[in-house]
């Protein structure tokens, strides 16, 4: 692969033995939001490719993003690489929460991604009446068929993760994608300790609070000591936690580079303590 920067900041995915980058790329807003926007397709393909070249070859998308168009753009972008050089996460929306529909949705995502398999497939959000046992059976079927490699969830609390795991016979939940940032540390109360104990990867979404943390003066001040920016401090703080990876969305190359350079170094413990006092749970 044509890796421009190799920070070698890889983390194990769950207890699979497989390594993924500590920082990836989120794709909400790429190619549209709630509906497709085809105006900047070539631009987005370049952005996704650049992220991969910079070492952020963990790409997070969903069937819901731009109503499938984000997946299509990811599919186009990864054509420039060997399939095993990228790790693709996509998600099934609650509209498709039945055994048959979930399998159909995964196949439709695969088609839009124009690839042979999905690396990690997530239930996007829990719902109060989802047939979790049936959904986990469908997930295992997809693994057996080689359509997906790993099973995960998103926005699940500890009880729901436990319940989902209890319905799996051959596989396990390897990841839970949840909101986690310096300004939103709620998962440190129970979900993060549970994930670390059970070796389930936490995929931190909205890690920059939509860009607000990049403008944070206190973080910028800490960053000065390392020659790093506020955004890089915010991301590095996240990946300093065991079993946590982060998926910031970046729409310009400058941000991509900045985010990639949040890997490959670590904040010192005394700075982490200061930051955590400043941004309590
Ligand atoms: P985010 O990553 O915290 O913030 C994205 C915003 O930050 C964009 O406006 C981006 O601007 C800006 N940004 C990125 N890098 C920057 C930098 N180095 N300096 C300054 N600004 C920077 O928020 P998010 O998009 O909500 O979350 C990230 C991803 O998580 C999503 O794209 C999606 O894949 C995933 N997600 C998942 C769920 C779920 O339910 N599973 C929910 C929400 C999000 P530019 O675009 O101008 O670069």
């Amino acid at each position: 692969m044509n890796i421009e920067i190799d920070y070698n900041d890889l983390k194990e995915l769950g207890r699979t033995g497989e390594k993924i980058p500590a920082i990836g790329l989120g794709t909400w807003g790429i190619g549209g939001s709630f509906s497709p926007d085809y105006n900047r397709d070539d631009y987005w393909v370049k952005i996704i490719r650049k992220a991969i070249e910079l070492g952020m070859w963990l790409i997070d998308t969903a069937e819901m993003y731009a109503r499938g168009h984000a997946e299509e753009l990811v599919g186009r972008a990864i054509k420039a690489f060997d399939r095993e050089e990228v790790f693709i996460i996509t998600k099934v929306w609650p509209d498709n929460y039945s055994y048959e529909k979930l399998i159909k949705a995964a196949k439709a995502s695969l088609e839009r991604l124009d690839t042979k398999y999905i690396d990690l497939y997530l239930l996007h959000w829990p719902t109060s009446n989802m047939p979790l046992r049936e959904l986990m059976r469908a997930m295992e079927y997809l693994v057996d068929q080689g359509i997906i490699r790993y099973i995960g969830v998103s926005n699940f609390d500890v009880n729901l993760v436990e319940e989902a795991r209890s319905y799996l016979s051959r596989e396990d939940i390897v990841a839970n994608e949840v909101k986690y940032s310096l300004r939103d540390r709620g998962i440190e109360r129970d979900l993060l300790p549970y994930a670390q104990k059970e070796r389930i990867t936490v995929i931190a979404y909205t890690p920059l609070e939509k860009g607000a943390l990049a403008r944070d003066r206190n973080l910028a001040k800490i960053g000065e000591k390392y020659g790093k920016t506020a955004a890089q401090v915010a991301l590095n703080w996240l990946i300093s936690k065991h079993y946590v990876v982060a998926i910031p969305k970046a729409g310009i190359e400058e941000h991509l580079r900045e985010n990639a350079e949040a890997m490959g170094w670590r904040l010192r413990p005394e700075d982490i303590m200061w930051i955590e006092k400043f941004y309590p749970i």
Side-chain angles (χ1 to χ4, degrees), residues 27-28 60 154-155 177 205-206 208 210 247 249 251 255 259:
T27 64
W28 169 249
D60 179 74
S154 179
N155 301 299
E177 185 172 308
Y205 77 67
T206 318
L208 293 173
K210 299 274 177 198
I247 46 161
K249 178 260 174 181
H255 288 165
N259 298 348

Side-chain angles (χ1 to χ4, degrees), residues 79-179:
K79 289 270 178 292
F81 305 89
D82 288 341
R83 179 63 184 85
E84 59 280 7
E85 290 177 329
V86 292
F87 190 97
I88 308 295
I89 306 170
T90 194
K91 321 183 193 77
V92 53
W93 193 245
D95 292 353
N96 290 320
Y97 282 179
S98 77
Y99 184 86
E100 301 292 341
K101 281 185 180 171
L102 186 138
I103 291 167
K104 230 173 126 185
K107 289 180 177 168
S109 283
L110 202 60
E111 207 152 288
R112 285 189 294 270
L113 288 162
D114 194 13
T115 190
K116 290 210 173 82
Y117 57 86
I118 293 160
D119 291 286
L120 173 59
Y121 200 43
L122 312 179
L123 297 183
H124 203 144
W125 282 92
T127 64
S128 53
N129 57 353
M130 61 183 169
L132 198 48
R133 182 192 300 272
E134 184 180 316
L135 298 177
M136 289 299 119
R137 273 209 303 120
M139 285 285 203
E140 284 195 320
Y141 170 84
L142 291 171
V143 173
D144 290 344
Q145 295 297 306
I147 293 170
I148 68 173
R149 296 179 60 220
Y150 299 114
I151 302 168
V153 292
S154 179
N155 301 299
F156 272 41
D157 63 20
V158 171
N159 287 338
L160 279 174
V161 175
E162 291 259 83
E163 190 185 337
R165 294 179 82 191
S166 75
Y167 299 140
L168 290 167
S169 51
R170 302 179 293 284
E171 302 295 324
D172 198 358
I173 297 292
V174 304
N176 189 8
E177 185 172 308
V178 293
K179 186 162 185 294

